[in-house]
């Protein structure tokens, strides 16, 4: 790894510097040539660093921010009045080239709006997409996009999501990933016009290893490495998953309450089930990436603990090393060229 | 209950007369004034009746059908060439007023297309909707629509779904049910244009007890009695639920395989978890109703066993007694009148 620098919105998330600072210190020990710019309230950050006995000023620098963006701020409010906030300053550092990437556990809508406004879209991209890894059965790895950044898209945009997801997955997997479109059936006649049009485009595109439609019950089977849908469907699907996990655990509690053997059995399994539930919680998917921008932005969930936030830092480091924005540009250019001929 | 007659597509579903005939015989003992017309292969049906020692010809009649509609037949194929099939004849009996309702466990797409073509839409309805009860935590009851009948709708159609779902739920609950729109957030600014426009219409409508947006993770909490979405989102959401249940059971198996105590615990709970999984399987929601037609059509799942198919018969009987199509007409008329003033 050559030297790289990441800006952290140290104030974002439910726990602010109490999580972001220890996670940074731990990540620095894993990545010897990493440098971090912590953006936020300087006294609070310094206090955390002192309590951790960390004093290597050559690897951590602090940029003071007067305020942070609350969770109740709408994207348009964030665009209008976020000057001087820790999230905005961290993104500005990416925009002016001072750092290689930025991470925030703050307000997702604000982060997406500000990222798009400050970093600008890559050529050929209509909309940025939010992507995250999915838990799957077996050894397959899967990613789902878009997860809520775009509630209504056209077939071109969905096609671009497929290309971007494919690049992200390939960088991680080391081989050309399979890409599927989320639909209500596997047959060609199924689905709405949007999905059908995008499917035709992908069928004619050799740049993406398109395998056809994927149904909701195949999301977690690893049938496709990359599953593409609009942000409305992606968000509902992921949140429904969380709801089901809660329902199953909740009804298990109800069913077993009367039976002491079952109660004991449930106690024995609760930790495993609880971990699986958390794994399905969309807010808990740590290190969701915003793709399609001139710059790397990773969204950590708001309730991330130190180890989860560290995972988000790792995700950002990997994306910098893999030069994800450049790869997306190249791949999209190849796909568009192919469509011209 | 006054006398009522229901036509059954006796050949539909994975098990045909082996399930539909015993379920009919059992249902007849529950509903003393019910009569049933079994539509299908006469020798097969008679064989089942004989083996059950049932010989009350005044309550069961058989209408012979030469063939049945396969699961691989598309809706348009079904419209073109279904003459003489058990499903079509059963629907024709509803259309000509010979029976009060019809039930089929056959091909869903074909059933919807034929129902719409033979029974016609109620005045003021753009599209029929498929609705089913959801499992929920606690004592609340919830229904979700549309479940796949309509992949792209406009705000008027979604509004009609809300009215239809509300009438169905009220008939069952005995009070005015709460109605929510499935969306990606609870705030007014969230969602796509379709959802926002429909939300405005529902806010101005006193006929429906509209409570606002419902998120995916609230589907199974009973937050709203009726949850409305387009068929694409409804289908993906329900199938995702099935996928999550399978993932949880599957990963539990993986996690516990190495630990004998956990293995024993899982064995002890497997029945409960398995039942819950089945309850989440969209195909297993028995007695999904097709709303918005001049007539009552209930869709049983293809893999229904005798008791599940009996539940579908019960659903049809209740809808006839509650005069659901008439109530939908009246309620929709009231809603449209209100919008004119």
């Amino acid at each position: 790894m050559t030297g790289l620098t990441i800006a952290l919105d140290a104030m974002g998330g439910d726990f602010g510097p109490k999580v972001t600072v220890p996670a940074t210190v731990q990540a620095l020990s894993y990545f010897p040539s990493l440098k971090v710019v912590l953006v936020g309230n300087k006294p609070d950050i310094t206090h955390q660093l002192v309590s951790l006995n960390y004093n290597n000023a050559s690897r951590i620098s602090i940029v003071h921010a007067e305020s942070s963006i609350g969770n109740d701020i709408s994207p348009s409010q964030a665009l209008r009045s976020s000057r001087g906030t820790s999230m905005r300053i961290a993104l500005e550092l990416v925009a002016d080239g001072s750092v290689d990437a930025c991470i925030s556990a703050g307000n997702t809508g604000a982060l997406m709006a500000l990222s798009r406004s400050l970093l600008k879209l890559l050529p050929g991209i209509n909309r940025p997409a939010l992507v995250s890894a999915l838990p799957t059965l077996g050894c397959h790895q899967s990613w789902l996009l878009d997860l809520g950044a775009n509630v209504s898209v056209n077939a071109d945009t969905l096609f671009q999501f497929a290309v971007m997801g494919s690049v992200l997955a390939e960088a991680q997997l080391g081989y050309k990933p399979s890409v599927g479109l989320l639909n209500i059936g596997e047959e060609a006649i199924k689905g709405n016009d949007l999905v059908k049009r995008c499917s035709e485009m992908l069928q004619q595109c050799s740049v993406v290893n398109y395998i056809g439609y994927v149904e909701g019950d195949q999301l977690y089977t690893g049938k496709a490495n990359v599953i593409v849908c609009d942000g409305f469907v992606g968000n509902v699907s992921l949140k429904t998953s969380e709801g089901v996990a809660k329902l199953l655990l909740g009804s298990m509690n109800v069913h077993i309450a009367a039976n002491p053997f079952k109660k004991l059995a449930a106690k024995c399994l609760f930790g495993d089930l609880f971990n699986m539930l958390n794994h399905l919680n969309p807010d808990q998917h740590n290190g969701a990436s915003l793709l399609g921008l001139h710059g790397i932005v990773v969204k950590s969930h708001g309730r991330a603990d130190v180890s989860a936030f560290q995972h988000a830092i790792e995700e950002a480091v990997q994306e910098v090393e893999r030069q994800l924005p450049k790869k997306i540009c190249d791949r999209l250019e190849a796909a568009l060229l192919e469509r011209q001929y």
Side-chain angles (χ1 to χ4, degrees), chain A residues 7-13 20 37 39-40 68 86-87 90 102-106 309:
Chain A
L8 275 173
D9 168 12
M11 312 312 284
T20 55
V37 180
V39 186
S68 60
S86 52
M87 184 191 284
C102 138
I103 303 165
S104 174
F309 198 85

Side-chain angles (χ1 to χ4, degrees), chain A residues 64-281:
Chain A
H64 180 69
E66 280 300 325
S67 58
S68 60
I69 295 179
N71 278 329
D72 52 343
I73 299 296
S74 74
S76 53
Q77 283 175 302
L79 286 173
R80 281 198 307 274
S81 49
S82 58
R83 222 162 274 280
T85 61
S86 52
M87 184 191 284
R88 186 179 184 119
I89 294 174
L91 284 165
E92 285 168 345
L93 290 171
V94 182
D96 68 18
S98 309
V99 301
D100 301 293
C102 138
I103 303 165
S104 174
N107 182 325
T108 310
L111 183 68
M112 293 194 292
L114 286 174
S115 299
R116 189 174 166 172
S117 152
L118 295 169
L119 302 182
K120 307 296 177 208
L121 292 168
L122 290 171
I125 298 287
N126 298 341
R127 309 270 190 98
L130 194 63
V131 61
S132 179
L134 290 181
T136 49
L137 272 177
C139 55
H140 306 284
Q141 279 190 280
S142 290
W143 288 262
L144 181 67
L145 76 165
D146 172 51
L147 297 176
N150 308 281
V151 291
S152 46
V153 299
N154 61 24
D156 282 325
T157 308
L158 217 51
F159 176 84
Q160 292 158 17
F161 290 175
V163 174
M164 294 198 287
S166 182
V167 171
L168 175 91
E170 184 168 344
Q172 180 116 350
L173 297 171
Y175 58 81
K176 205 170 174 179
S178 55
V179 175
L181 275 175
L182 190 55
N183 198 2
I184 60 166
E186 292 185 74
E187 306 86 355
I189 54 155
K190 289 289 174 73
N192 54 24
D193 290 343
L194 173 70
V195 165
K196 285 180 191 165
R197 274 203 299 272
C198 183
S199 183
E200 278 170 25
M201 290 166 73
L202 287 169
Q203 272 163 20
Q204 289 155 16
C205 166
S206 70
V207 168
V208 170
N209 175 22
Y210 177 59
I211 61 161
Y213 296 139
V214 169
E215 292 191 74
D217 57 345
Q218 298 165 329
L219 266 185
Y220 299 103
T221 61
K223 187 190 172 189
N225 296 122
V226 179
I227 300 148
V228 179
C229 59
D230 70 53
F232 193 97
V233 172
N235 180 291
V236 167
S237 184
L238 221 54
K239 284 197 179 146
T240 297
S241 303
E242 186 190 351
V244 173
K246 280 185 190 156
L247 172 76
L248 283 173
L249 289 192
S251 11
M252 204 170 73
N253 277 336
V254 173
H255 274 81
I256 61 180
N259 183 323
F261 291 108
K262 288 188 178 178
K263 217 168 176 172
L264 192 69
K267 219 169 183 174
C268 182
L269 291 177
F270 195 78
D272 290 327
L273 288 168
F274 190 77
N275 285 340
M276 283 185 268
L277 183 151
N278 266 343
H279 201 34
L280 283 169
N281 180 340

Side-chain angles (χ1 to χ4, degrees), chain A residues 293-311:
Chain A
L293 298 163
H294 280 288
I296 290 162
V297 180
V298 170
K299 168 72 179 77
S300 162
H301 62 75
R303 281 167 286 160
D305 60 14
V306 172
S307 103
F309 198 85
Q310 226 180 295
H311 184 76

Side-chain angles (χ1 to χ4, degrees), chain A residues 279-295:
Chain A
H279 201 34
L280 283 169
N281 180 340
D283 296 329
Q284 302 275 346
H285 281 268
N286 227 17
S289 303
L290 210 48
L291 300 180
L293 298 163
H294 280 288

